[in-house]
Amino acid sequence: MEQNQALDRFLAGVEKKAFHMARIATGNEDDALEIVQDAMLKLVQRYAARDEREWGPLFHRILQSRIRDWYRRSKVRNQLRVWFGGGEEEDDPLDNQPGREADGPLPELESERFGEDLEQALSALPNRQQQAFLLRVWEGLGVEETAAAMGCSAGSVKTHYSRAVHALRKQLEDFKP
Amino acid sequence: MSNGENEFIEKARLNLEQRLERTPAHVSSRLHAARRRALDSRRRKQPLWLPAMATAALVAVIGAGVWFGYSAQQTAPVPKLAAVEEVPHVNDFEMLARDDDLELYEDLDFYLWLERQEPDAV
């Protein structure tokens, strides 16, 4: 009973961030919700008995694994679409970026616009760079923890993270402080 | 890491945090429902052990009963044969099958007559 309450608290604390990470990765609200639900189910059914301190890394590992699965399925779907007549590549999200107004925007508008542009730039990153950036910056995981969540080496995390920061700063250079 | 990079990262982090607060109500509601489903799946999963064990034990007992019952049936003497042994005419048949007594049975009437005539002769 106590463990169920602890699990409830843990999941309530991570679910929104997990949803936004999945939505940035997939660009689709329903897919993101499905990914988060799968991750919750797997954590509860397989790892609930583990020490509470392990839930965080395990949950992120499951979540990132589900996001990678989504990418693989999506890649196959896109390939099939190209083979069987769909033909056209999906638009680059950055192409749809709204143009800058000549006048300087108000601070709150600037923040909002920065948020939109950040999301578009994050969505356009390769999956591994996106994961490394979000886990390090937003989730606040260390290099080793991020490597465990992503299922790769610490060296790879550093490389992906560095490339992500470089690409994002380049994309968002209008907002340079 | 340069100052500019640090500032950019901090700005990005703050913006992402603000995003959490702006999570739409319908998404929060669906996340809540997903959490409940996940937790309920554990509650449902736990008690399944007992019925599963009880069913397995019952099947084992029934299986053992059927097996031993069948074995006992295979090794037990057939009651019908025992009954056949008790039938009088089978004993007669066995007597007749013995060659040495056959002559006695053929002359049985004679010996019975002889006994009646001379009670002390037999």
Side-chain angles (χ1 to χ4, degrees), chain B residues 2-18:
Chain B
S2 67
N3 281 343
E5 190 169 311
N6 279 338
E7 283 179 35
F8 170 77
I9 287 168
E10 185 56 19
K11 189 174 181 178
R13 195 188 64 74
L14 284 173
N15 194 279
L16 289 166
E17 284 297 327
Q18 286 167 2

Side-chain angles (χ1 to χ4, degrees), chain B residues 3 8 14 20 25 28 37-38 40 45 54 58 61-63 68-69 78 82 84 88 92 98-99 113 117-118:
Chain B
N3 281 343
F8 170 77
L14 284 173
L20 285 185
S28 298
R37 269 196 295 277
D40 286 347
K45 199 178 174 183
L58 185 65
V61 167
I62 291 172
F68 286 116
V78 180
V84 168
D92 292 347
R98 292 170 63 178
D99 290 340
W113 174 80
Q117 299 302 313
E118 302 171 287

Side-chain angles (χ1 to χ4, degrees), chain A residues 2-169:
Chain A
E2 274 181 26
Q3 199 180 37
N4 273 348
Q5 287 172 349
L7 264 172
D8 193 15
R9 280 195 302 275
F10 169 77
L11 292 175
V14 296
E15 65 191 16
K16 283 184 184 170
K17 204 177 275 189
F19 164 75
H20 285 288
M21 282 184 181
R23 197 180 55 78
I24 288 169
T26 61
N28 182 297
E29 192 175 288
D30 289 330
D31 287 349
L33 282 164
E34 195 175 320
I35 285 170
V36 175
Q37 178 170 308
D38 279 356
M40 285 178 172
L41 272 171
K42 190 170 178 186
L43 181 87
V44 168
Q45 289 178 347
R46 295 204 182 171
Y47 302 111
R50 295 281 190 94
D51 191 292
E52 284 186 38
R53 285 167 296 185
E54 291 182 47
W55 290 346
L58 282 167
F59 179 77
H60 282 293
R61 175 144 196 161
I62 299 166
L63 182 72
Q64 299 306 323
S65 167
R66 289 287 182 273
I67 291 173
R68 282 199 298 278
D69 289 345
W70 183 91
Y71 265 90
R72 284 191 204 105
R73 285 198 303 271
S74 177
K75 203 173 172 183
V76 171
R77 270 199 305 269
N78 287 340
Q79 194 64 55
L80 288 173
R81 201 177 299 146
V82 170
W83 286 345
F84 295 104
E88 291 177 18
E89 293 285 328
E90 284 182 7
D91 292 340
D92 183 345
L94 291 174
D95 292 343
N96 302 324
Q97 206 169 329
R100 293 270 163 269
E101 289 172 19
D103 303 336
L106 296 169
E108 58 270 26
L109 280 180
E110 187 188 328
S111 172
E112 198 174 314
R113 188 172 291 159
F114 175 78
E116 288 168 7
D117 288 1
L118 176 65
E119 180 163 336
Q120 285 184 339
L122 276 167
S123 301
L125 285 179
N127 176 232
R128 305 297 273 170
Q129 291 182 26
Q130 188 187 94
Q131 288 180 334
F133 183 84
L134 288 174
L135 289 171
R136 296 277 286 116
V137 171
W138 199 7
E139 196 55 37
L141 299 185
V143 173
E144 295 293 339
E145 291 168 310
T146 306
M150 290 175 61
C152 64
S153 69
S156 296
V157 169
K158 287 178 186 170
T159 305
H160 291 312
Y161 176 70
S162 171
R163 287 179 182 167
V165 171
H166 180 75
L168 289 173
R169 288 190 74 192

Side-chain angles (χ1 to χ4, degrees), chain B residues 78-86:
Chain B
V78 180
K80 268 189 171 177
L81 287 178
V84 168
E85 281 171 11
E86 289 171 17

Side-chain angles (χ1 to χ4, degrees), chain B residues 30-46:
Chain B
R30 286 179 70 182
L31 285 170
H32 184 265
R35 176 161 32 103
R36 292 261 66 81
R37 269 196 295 277
L39 292 168
D40 286 347
S41 76
R42 183 166 184 244
R43 290 192 194 102
R44 279 198 306 272
K45 199 178 174 183
Q46 280 173 331

